[in-house]
Amino acid sequence: MKRTLVQSVRHACNGLVLAFRTQQNLRIHSVIALIVLIAAFVLGISRGELMMLVVMIALVFSAEFLNTALEMLSDILNPRVSAQVGRLKDVSAAG
């Protein structure tokens, strides 16, 4: 089955909503990112600095989404409490 662009965007939006509903750290990162961006505008940083700031914020969000996906996958593959899965989640969270 070939997906349309609309379906792909819908799935991505569903993933964003799920991540924001279930991941406290993602909500914390969002608030901090907003504070940093507001401070950047108040301090009048250059466009280049602002672009770098936005790229860094995007990298943090990307890492958080990958961590969330890895944690969800590990829960599916091994639903019982496991020291190995616990270590995997710890390493994933550290990255």
Side-chain angles (χ1 to χ4, degrees):
M1 180 176 147
K2 188 174 181 181
R3 276 195 229 174
T4 66
L5 177 62
V6 173
Q7 290 171 324
S8 295
V9 171
R10 185 176 302 127
H11 289 300
C13 289
N14 289 341
L16 283 172
V17 169
L18 176 65
F20 275 98
R21 284 186 181 164
T22 61
Q23 301 302 310
Q24 181 180 6
N25 285 346
L26 190 58
R27 293 189 298 271
I28 291 169
H29 289 149
S30 298
V31 170
I32 292 170
L34 182 62
I35 292 168
V36 167
L37 289 173
I38 290 170
F41 283 110
V42 169
L43 295 173
I45 67 172
S46 70
R47 283 187 180 170
E49 291 169 329
L50 181 60
M51 285 175 39
M52 289 302 297
L53 200 55
V54 169
V55 167
M56 294 301 114
I57 290 170
L59 286 173
V60 169
F61 280 107
S62 294
E64 189 63 42
F65 289 127
L66 286 172
N67 178 50
T68 299
L70 184 58
E71 286 184 0
M72 289 179 169
L73 180 61
S74 64
D75 288 339
I76 290 169
L77 296 176
N78 191 357
R80 31 189 184 93
V81 176
S82 163
Q84 289 175 322
V85 171
R87 286 192 297 271
L88 172 85
K89 288 181 178 184
D90 289 345
V91 171
S92 174

